[in-house]
Amino acid sequence: MNIEEDTSTWLGCPTPLEMYQHQCALLEDELTSAYQLLTRARANIAGLVQMNDLLLAGKTKTETELRLALADLSSAHIHGSEMSKEIMSLKMIAGQNEYLRIENQRLLLELKVYRGPPS
């Protein structure tokens, strides 16, 4: 079918000017919507930047507390090591004391045997 009839004059067909106006209205709505989205995105970014600043401050504080806790832990470890050395030396002395007490009891028993029964 070959239609060569000009339909632009039919009733209800928009003119080129009306089509351009309609297209402009659609673009204006789209731009308004994009501007609203951009405004919300900027507000979200500002909130995220503020949250990031708070997190960085908290991170710095926590790192400082961690360093202090590690220093305390190291100091406690050194103190515990020194105490362990003292305990080991005291255990050695206690062992020597026990050995000498047993040896003293043995020698006293030998001395009693050597001297004989008391008269």
Side-chain angles (χ1 to χ4, degrees):
M1 280 184 23
N2 202 0
I3 300 177
E4 295 186 13
E5 191 175 344
D6 185 16
T7 60
S8 64
T9 59
W10 287 8
L11 183 62
C13 288
T15 64
L17 178 61
E18 290 173 334
M19 288 190 297
Y20 289 134
Q21 288 174 342
H22 180 67
Q23 185 66 29
C24 284
L26 291 174
L27 288 174
E28 285 176 355
D29 289 343
E30 197 174 315
L31 283 174
T32 303
S33 174
Y35 182 74
Q36 290 172 349
L37 290 173
L38 180 62
T39 302
R40 276 190 239 131
R42 285 181 178 157
N44 287 343
I45 290 170
L48 290 173
V49 167
Q50 185 179 16
M51 287 171 53
N52 187 44
D53 290 343
L54 290 172
L55 288 172
L56 283 176
K59 179 183 175 239
T60 304
K61 179 184 174 192
T62 304
E63 285 175 343
T64 303
E65 290 173 357
L66 176 63
R67 271 189 251 112
L68 290 174
L70 287 174
D72 288 346
L73 181 62
S74 177
S75 174
H77 186 315
I78 291 170
H79 182 68
S81 178
E82 290 172 357
M83 294 296 286
S84 177
K85 288 177 187 175
E86 287 181 27
I87 289 171
M88 289 304 292
S89 64
L90 288 174
K91 282 184 177 181
M92 285 177 46
I93 292 171
Q96 291 171 354
N97 185 11
E98 183 64 20
Y99 172 77
L100 291 174
R101 187 184 67 75
I102 292 171
E103 188 66 21
N104 189 23
Q105 292 298 321
R106 186 186 63 80
L107 289 174
L108 282 174
L109 187 60
E110 278 185 25
L111 186 61
K112 283 183 183 178
V113 169
Y114 226 28
R115 286 188 182 166
S119 358

